[in-house]
Amino acid sequence: MSTLNEIQKIPYDFTKNLQEEGAIFELEVPKNLYENLKTIAKKNGTTIFVVCYTIYRILAYKISGVENLPVILPVDTRNDPAFQDVIGLFVNLVVL
């Protein structure tokens, strides 16, 4: 519960504007940066996702001061071939 109290203290420099429409944010990673991330991941026996997630956690801590900030990720759960023809969105949210 103390983490939730600390999350409310996270500084932000804009007012929250709840919209019904989303936005797309595209980021192109330079090839040399991608290669460096791949090298770090391989050297540590992990994936590029884990390296980027770690960088994100460090940045989030530096900005917020909250050590145990929960991060929620959508996870596709349509990996069973039996569900390939089923219509619908099969997404779970995982808190890391």
Side-chain angles (χ1 to χ4, degrees), residues 29-80:
V29 177
K31 185 172 175 109
N32 64 336
L33 175 57
Y34 171 74
E35 292 299 328
N36 287 341
L37 291 171
K38 201 161 76 169
T39 302
I40 292 168
K42 187 174 183 179
K43 190 177 187 179
N44 290 285
T46 189
T47 64
I48 294 174
F49 171 80
V50 172
V51 173
C52 291
Y53 174 72
T54 303
I55 293 167
Y56 174 79
R57 292 295 300 230
I58 293 168
L59 180 62
Y61 172 72
K62 294 280 188 183
I63 291 171
S64 69
V66 178
E67 191 172 316
N68 193 15
L69 188 67
V71 176
I72 300 172
L73 297 172
V75 178
D76 178 15
T77 58
R78 197 186 285 250
N79 51 8
D80 186 338

Side-chain angles (χ1 to χ4, degrees), residues 2-23:
S2 65
T3 300
L4 294 177
N5 291 334
E6 290 186 28
I7 291 172
Q8 294 175 350
K9 299 176 190 173
I10 295 175
Y12 56 88
D13 58 357
F14 57 90
T15 56
K16 293 182 182 179
N17 183 11
L18 300 177
Q19 302 176 16
E20 290 188 21
E21 295 181 21

